[in-house]
Amino acid sequence: MSTTATVNPSYRSPPGTLHTILLAGTVPLFLGALLSDLAYRDSYQIQWNNFASWLIAAGELFAGLALLFALVNLFRQGPKTGRPRIYVLLLAITWVLGLVNAFEHAKDAWAVMPTGLVLSVVVTILACITTWVGLNSHQGGTR
């Protein structure tokens, strides 16, 4: 009796080192923005809002570049269904909501709460889910 091994064809080429660093870097940046928003909510020190704004901008940069790498990898490998498309879609949603969050944090510091905090929570959760899906969708191997 022989066993057959099938290869998981989700991605033929795993993400490169830079793609992985950019994708994983979004989590601490958006998490830092969330923690800064929580500190601002508790203390009303305007500098916490400034920290959150800069962390969101850096998270947007990382997420945007990771999205660019993901799109190139998706189109380079031809049309795919399943996890690679879900990963790109989640990353795009994370980037768009992060942009909305950045616009929200661009308001006067007193006007940011509570919408900025809620958006920071949503974007942080999405960044975690996206990173998990993105790093797990590239694993090939046998089943």
Side-chain angles (χ1 to χ4, degrees), residues 55-127:
L55 288 165
I56 291 167
E60 281 293 284
L61 176 67
F62 275 49
L65 291 172
L67 180 60
L68 180 66
F69 279 105
L71 286 170
V72 167
N73 199 18
L74 183 70
F75 290 122
R76 187 179 62 180
Q77 297 300 326
K80 296 266 184 215
T81 59
R83 274 192 148 178
R85 283 194 179 179
I86 291 171
Y87 162 60
V88 171
L89 181 65
L90 281 171
L91 192 52
I93 292 170
T94 302
W95 188 84
V96 167
L97 285 178
L99 185 64
V100 171
N101 195 16
F103 290 150
E104 184 67 27
H105 278 79
K107 292 180 182 177
D108 182 54
W110 299 105
V112 171
M113 291 295 155
T115 310
L117 178 61
V118 171
L119 281 170
S120 289
V121 168
V122 171
V123 170
T124 301
I125 291 170
L126 269 173

Side-chain angles (χ1 to χ4, degrees), residues 33-48:
L34 171 61
L35 294 174
S36 295
D37 279 345
L38 290 170
Y40 177 70
R41 181 197 64 186
D42 292 340
S43 69
Y44 291 106
Q45 294 293 322
I46 294 174
Q47 193 61 32
W48 288 113

